[in-house]
Amino acid sequence: AQSVTQLDSQVPVFEEAPVELRCNYSSSVSVYLFWYVQYPNQGLQLLLKYLSGSTLVKGINGFEAEFNKSQTSFHLRKPSVHISDTAEYFCAVSENTGNQFYFGTGTSLTVIP
Amino acid sequence: DTAVSQTPKYLVTQMGNDKSIKCEQNLGHDTMYWYKQDSKKFLKIMFSYNNKELIINETVPNRFSPKSPDKAHLNLHINSLELGDSAVYFCASSSFYNEQFFGPGTRLTVL
């Protein structure tokens, strides 16, 4: 089974500053990687995903993530955050066999005006 | 058109009652899931069905019983509700790469 680690449970950042949310996973088998965002009192929506190909993945709302196989990481970045980016962010991993989907514990991003 | 829908959105009930949450997806996916999100935002998978067949059954009290009448529907029935069952319950369906498509959630409050 996979484990997905999001080391930072809370990340406060000033508006227009850059941000990086870290995600590491445990397995070295082939995986698919995802970042989801959950705005307050809403469901989860997909920010971006890595299935194959280029290791730099661009998503919605100006976010991007880089897949690093040797470090088993998939960190999420944004060069300049907005107040509206305040939300909970979840990293997730799926192995390319089976139906299991593993979520990290989430990172709460708070953008400070 | 809503891709994954859940009803009800809010559910407030007394301890000991039995309640159901319904989920429907119109994405044509074969696999559906139930997740529980607690007050700390942790997401825990409860069940997964593939084409009406149970494939994932995590350690969940047997008061929780999923039912899949067809591959577009996955309902969750909870017997003898307890205070600790209070949470947000999310239904999801998945595509070929297991990408999860989530419903809006059902906030269950047990008094």
Side-chain angles (χ1 to χ4, degrees):
Chain A
Q2 285 277 350
S3 70
V4 182
T5 303
Q6 293 181 246
L7 283 172
D8 307 305
S9 59
Q10 295 185 332
V11 173
V13 62
F14 285 104
E15 194 174 14
E16 297 182 9
V19 71
E20 179 180 81
L21 306 183
R22 296 179 292 167
C23 174
N24 288 86
Y25 61 96
S26 59
S27 175
S28 58
V29 300
S30 292
V31 294
Y32 305 124
L33 298 159
F34 306 84
W35 275 98
Y36 284 83
V37 60
Q38 184 179 25
Y39 298 106
N41 299 312
Q42 293 188 27
L44 282 80
Q45 66 182 86
L46 183 71
L47 260 184
L48 48 77
K49 61 189 174 192
Y50 171 81
L51 303 178
S52 66
S54 172
T55 57
L56 183 62
V57 179
K58 293 192 184 298
I60 61 171
N61 301 339
F63 283 92
E64 63 181 32
E66 185 150 22
F67 168 52
N68 187 318
K69 188 174 181 179
S70 62
Q71 296 186 7
T72 59
S73 68
F74 191 53
H75 301 332
L76 181 71
R77 300 186 187 100
K78 186 169 182 178
S80 174
V81 294
H82 301 133
I83 296 288
S84 59
D85 292 324
T86 293
E88 193 81 18
Y89 290 80
F90 293 94
C91 180
V93 174
S94 171
E95 293 172 351
N96 65 0
T97 56
N99 296 95
Q100 277 283 13
F101 199 82
Y102 304 91
F103 275 100
T105 50
T107 297
S108 177
L109 174 66
T110 301
V111 180
I112 304 162
Chain B
D1 275 349
T2 305
V4 182
S5 59
Q6 292 179 231
T7 54
K9 191 168 170 63
Y10 299 96
L11 190 49
V12 181
T13 188
Q14 300 283 340
M15 268 198 313
N17 284 350
D18 304 338
K19 290 293 177 186
S20 291
I21 307 172
K22 294 187 176 183
C23 177
E24 177 180 0
Q25 55 97 2
N26 63 6
L27 297 167
H29 294 158
D30 287 339
T31 308
M32 296 183 72
Y33 304 77
W34 277 110
Y35 288 89
K36 179 181 180 181
Q37 186 176 44
D38 63 22
S39 57
K40 293 183 179 176
K41 303 290 188 184
F42 294 156
L43 274 165
K44 178 184 170 176
I45 189 167
M46 301 172 71
F47 303 103
S48 177
Y49 271 72
N50 182 270
N51 213 358
K52 302 194 297 176
E53 197 173 319
L54 182 66
I55 54 169
I56 296 173
N57 187 356
E58 294 295 319
T59 307
V60 175
N62 58 13
R63 299 181 293 104
F64 289 80
S65 52
K67 280 193 174 52
S68 182
D70 56 61
K71 74 173 193 178
H73 295 84
L74 180 61
N75 303 324
L76 183 66
H77 188 76
I78 315 169
N79 288 327
S80 303
L81 278 155
E82 300 178 357
L83 292 176
D85 298 332
S86 294
V88 182
Y89 292 84
F90 286 102
C91 176
S93 68
S94 71
S95 65
F96 180 74
Y97 299 107
N98 290 335
E99 177 183 342
Q100 308 280 294
F101 293 78
F102 283 87
T106 296
R107 184 175 295 275
L108 171 65
T109 303
V110 183
L111 304 174

